[in-house]
Amino acid sequence: MKLINTNTGLFEEFIGRDIPKYAILSHTWQEEEVSFTSMNEPSCRKKGGYRKIVMTCHMASKAGLNYAWIDTCCIDKSSSAELTEAINSMYRYYQRSNICYVFLSDLPATSSLHTELKKCRWFTRGWTLQELIAPKDIHFFDQDWNYRGSKQDLVEALSLITGINPNILMHNKRLSSVAVAQRMSWAAHRETTRIEDMAYCLLRIFEVNMPLLYGEEGRAFRRLQEEIIKSTADFSIFAWRVPPVVGSTRHNDRVFCSLLSDEPAAFATCGSIVTKLSDGRREFSVTNVGVKSKVQLLSEGLPGQHARRSILPLACCTTSHNSLGIRIRKCGPDQFIREDPCTLVEHIQDMFQHAPTEIYLLTELPGTDLTSIYSTSDITSPIAQTRSHVLHIKLSPQMELYDLWPSARFDDEDQVFFISGDSNRDSVLLKIHGQATTYFGLELTSIKFSCTFYAIGWSMIEPSSLQCTLLNYQPSGILLDEMQLNIASRDLDRHGVLSKLQDYGFPRCTSATIKIPQTRYSVRVSFSPTLVTEPAICPNAFWSVNFSWKIYETNRLPPTQRGEWVMSR
């Protein structure tokens, strides 16, 4: 760490813990700043920034401090190693200083702090955020170097201007106790000259380090978010939103984007977000697929449909205690991207909760440029492009799915199973439950039924390739569950599933019959596959299986067609 000796004006270098007491300057850069290399040039005294160095040394010496640190001249920016170390250590430099002098170059000497302080450029710059938070003792000076007050004197005004809680400013509360989204909001209206610095200036606000790669531009802020995710399982990092652009999309457009924000400005409305206490430990990890986490997804039903949309709960809320979530869209096996980046979903506590599952939150969608917002009027076209084959499921009213396999490749919204790679993985299981009431004579009777459905070979459009069966679950439930556990645990392909169905002796059946107790009636559940084309769901033609049920007098039931399985090649 290079320090200026306030008595000699010369640099002295200190390493490790052997660092003397020092003052530090916080300011906004202007033209004619004095750099490390120009400090030894006689002409440096003529530069506008030289007076800041002189005044800082003078004030420090007056306070009994023999050393001072000033960012313009105490870093040799020709050395990338020194620059990287300084930026990663900057917060600590300000935190360990004995006193910090803030020079407000645009605050007139005769101005009222009540009206003019908030207008100062110092509050709009990225680097000065940590320079406000880190030091314990800050003295503010106007453009003529008149003392205007201390951090303690002005803490309420500083809090109103910056949105930072006074307890954070006065070090009465740990920085890490504040939600990631709220900390991001402090930088939402700040700027830096270089795009990358908008990320680098926030490193210690989130207590992370990362290499500096000037030239990467907006990628730096995405790397920052990834480093934050590695260090803390705070889901509020996804609580950003962007304002809708008027006229940019039509009413029915769907908008998809990365789970990560492009810039701190997207957190502008997150100043009141607080994290909620969790019953269990949450974990994040950044992988080559995306952000991996085990979460309990929520879903909201679509009116009049079996389809449901997924919500990622963020384990955070506003000051009004409204729990927050974001809409996400499945785009691969347990892979999701964000939908509707203009909205945070509130009041999610009453939504349907799924079992905890391990998912991947993607920072980009394969095959599209989703490092930025993607809008489509084709409803789900970017999602459809990730699928090579699908099997669509359509249930009649009073029927619902209560179990399925493989769940990782089932999309609740489109009600489809999908594959995008190995077509031999085109086997699925459905467990269908039905419930209704009807009159038999004058007596109202409750009807319940459960069926198991297998479909194999649905990636092929030839009718003979699609093989299905529908079975009454009750008589053989234990055997069916044993077989399915074997199939799922080994993740069997098409040939393996067919072999198991043969080994366990379950035939191909076009319908299942369930006797209604204490009546002379039975329920007949049946299915009918149809080849359809719908590019919004899949670019290729696919099978849609329609399920229905009907009540018959038991002795008048039409025959069930049975057949043998044909082993695939």
Side-chain angles (χ1 to χ4, degrees):
M1 182 182 189
K2 291 184 177 69
L3 294 173
I4 302 176
N5 187 309
T6 58
N7 299 309
T8 66
L10 300 177
F11 289 111
E12 296 182 29
E13 189 155 359
F14 300 89
I15 299 174
R17 299 182 182 276
D18 186 27
I19 298 175
K21 295 180 179 180
Y22 61 94
I24 199 166
L25 176 68
S26 176
H27 64 116
T28 55
W29 283 43
Q30 298 168 292
E31 294 182 3
E32 297 188 331
E33 294 291 353
V34 179
S35 67
F36 172 75
T37 54
S38 64
M39 272 290 281
N40 294 325
E41 300 172 0
S43 60
C44 76
R45 297 173 180 269
K46 299 178 181 179
K47 293 186 175 183
Y50 187 74
R51 186 165 187 264
K52 286 189 278 190
I53 298 174
V54 171
M55 290 303 298
T56 299
C57 291
H58 171 72
M59 300 294 292
S61 181
K62 191 176 177 181
L65 298 171
N66 294 324
Y67 294 93
W69 190 90
I70 303 167
D71 59 353
T72 54
C73 61
C74 289
I75 305 173
D76 182 2
K77 297 178 182 65
S78 65
S79 167
S80 60
E82 184 171 332
L83 178 62
T84 297
E85 180 183 359
I87 289 179
N88 276 302
S89 305
M90 194 81 70
Y91 187 94
R92 195 178 307 116
Y93 289 174
Y94 280 88
Q95 186 179 46
R96 293 177 177 175
S97 66
N98 287 75
I99 189 169
C100 174
Y101 301 126
V102 173
F103 175 60
L104 303 173
S105 60
D106 52 354
L107 180 66
T110 57
S111 64
S112 165
L113 290 183
H114 179 69
T115 58
E116 299 302 315
L117 182 62
K118 62 185 177 183
K119 300 178 184 178
C120 290
R121 182 169 173 262
W122 189 80
F123 293 104
T124 69
R125 306 305 296 169
W127 289 106
T128 56
L129 174 60
Q130 63 180 0
E131 295 165 16
L132 168 65
I133 295 173
K136 292 182 178 179
D137 191 11
I138 298 180
H139 288 190
F140 290 86
F141 295 86
D142 61 32
Q143 61 186 207
D144 290 339
W145 285 92
N146 297 308
Y147 176 68
R148 302 303 295 268
S150 69
K151 184 179 183 179
Q152 185 172 0
D153 298 335
L154 302 173
V155 66
E156 294 299 332
L158 295 171
S159 178
L160 285 174
I161 294 170
T162 62
I164 305 172
N165 189 295
N167 287 323
I168 293 295
L169 294 175
M170 298 310 299
H171 296 200
N172 296 325
K173 186 177 180 182
R174 290 174 61 87
L175 195 57
S176 59
S177 68
V178 181
V180 167
Q182 186 177 149
R183 278 181 274 173
M184 282 290 189
S185 74
W186 302 339
H189 302 292
R190 293 175 179 262
E191 298 176 337
T192 55
T193 302
R194 301 194 68 161
I195 296 173
E196 298 88 346
D197 282 340
M198 201 62 247
Y200 302 156
C201 73
L202 299 176
L203 289 174
R204 298 313 297 169
I205 297 294
F206 297 100
E207 302 174 277
V208 298
N209 292 305
M210 68 184 198
L212 311 186
L213 303 173
Y214 283 105
E216 66 175 335
E217 298 189 339
R219 172 63 185 155
F221 187 64
R222 301 177 75 82
R223 282 201 301 125
L224 171 66
Q225 293 169 88
E226 291 174 354
E227 291 301 320
I228 294 170
I229 287 168
K230 292 176 185 177
S231 68
T232 177
D234 184 343
F235 278 68
S236 76
I237 194 170
F238 303 128
W240 56 272
R241 56 181 165 184
V242 296
V245 180
V246 178
S248 64
T249 58
R250 292 178 286 274
H251 175 70
N252 291 326
D253 283 3
R254 302 288 291 276
V255 181
F256 303 98
C257 64
S258 164
L259 264 289
L260 301 180
S261 168
D262 289 335
E263 56 184 357
F267 292 88
T269 61
C270 297
S272 64
I273 286 181
V274 295
T275 53
K276 297 174 66 177
L277 293 176
S278 174
D279 295 332
R281 180 176 175 82
R282 301 189 304 271
E283 293 185 1
F284 273 145
S285 62
V286 179
T287 74
N288 62 332
V289 177
V291 178
K292 181 181 177 182
S293 183
K294 189 172 185 178
V295 298
Q296 189 170 20
L297 293 180
L298 308 176
S299 62
E300 55 182 353
L302 299 178
Q305 303 180 45
H306 287 96
R308 307 186 70 89
R309 287 185 177 169
S310 297
I311 305 293
L312 175 69
L314 301 181
C316 64
C317 59
T318 62
T319 50
S320 58
H321 305 294
N322 290 333
S323 297
L324 300 175
I326 56 173
R327 291 189 175 92
I328 56 175
R329 187 74 167 86
K330 183 174 276 190
C331 59
D334 282 333
Q335 299 173 11
F336 294 82
I337 56 169
R338 181 167 179 180
E339 180 180 359
D340 189 9
C342 303
T343 304
L344 291 178
V345 183
E346 299 188 21
H347 307 290
I348 63 174
Q349 54 270 20
D350 298 325
M351 291 184 178
F352 178 81
Q353 295 185 346
H354 296 266
T357 187
E358 201 169 73
I359 65 171
Y360 293 88
L361 304 168
L362 302 194
T363 56
E364 59 185 62
L365 181 65
T368 64
D369 176 19
L370 274 187
T371 53
S372 57
I373 291 174
Y374 188 104
S375 176
T376 174
S377 57
D378 292 332
I379 308 301
T380 54
S381 60
I383 308 300
Q385 295 304 314
T386 66
R387 305 164 174 169
S388 57
H389 305 284
V390 303
L391 176 70
H392 179 243
I393 305 300
K394 186 174 182 180
L395 301 178
S396 66
Q398 292 87 44
M399 299 175 76
E400 63 179 14
L401 298 177
Y402 70 94
D403 197 9
L404 53 85
W405 172 84
S407 59
R409 297 200 297 271
F410 183 76
D411 177 31
D412 268 325
E413 182 168 336
D414 285 340
Q415 294 283 287
V416 297
F417 290 93
F418 59 84
I419 51 177
S420 52
D422 185 1
S423 60
N424 283 318
R425 300 287 171 181
D426 58 351
S427 301
V428 303
L429 155 79
L430 300 178
K431 289 185 179 179
I432 302 169
H433 178 71
Q435 184 170 349
T437 55
T438 188
Y439 280 96
F440 294 112
L442 298 177
E443 186 174 349
L444 184 64
T445 302
S446 177
I447 302 171
K448 296 181 180 179
F449 56 87
S450 297
C451 299
T452 298
F453 173 77
Y454 277 93
I456 302 97
W458 47 265
S459 66
M460 298 175 282
I461 61 174
E462 297 83 4
S464 60
S465 298
L466 176 63
Q467 302 186 73
C468 305
T469 192
L470 186 62
L471 305 166
N472 182 2
Y473 177 77
Q474 292 302 327
S476 308
I478 294 176
L479 204 58
L480 283 167
D481 289 344
E482 177 187 300
M483 179 183 68
Q484 181 53 35
L485 181 62
N486 196 311
I487 291 172
S489 63
R490 297 167 62 186
D491 192 26
L492 296 178
D493 62 10
R494 181 194 308 155
H495 187 273
V497 174
L498 286 170
S499 295
K500 286 298 175 186
L501 286 164
Q502 277 190 336
D503 293 344
Y504 276 81
F506 292 113
R508 294 172 61 179
C509 298
T510 57
S511 61
T513 302
I514 302 94
K515 180 75 171 65
I516 303 173
Q518 300 176 349
T519 73
R520 65 175 190 274
Y521 296 94
S522 295
V523 174
R524 170 61 59 86
V525 184
S526 58
F527 66 91
S528 58
T530 307
L531 196 61
V532 299
T533 301
E534 192 170 340
I537 291 179
C538 182
N540 302 312
F542 58 90
W543 291 104
S544 176
V545 182
N546 189 9
F547 291 87
S548 60
W549 61 279
K550 188 176 180 180
I551 297 175
Y552 291 89
E553 287 189 32
T554 303
N555 59 3
R556 296 185 178 179
L557 279 166
T560 296
Q561 296 180 9
R562 297 172 180 265
E564 298 296 325
W565 299 103
V566 178
M567 296 302 295
S568 60
R569 295 180 181 178

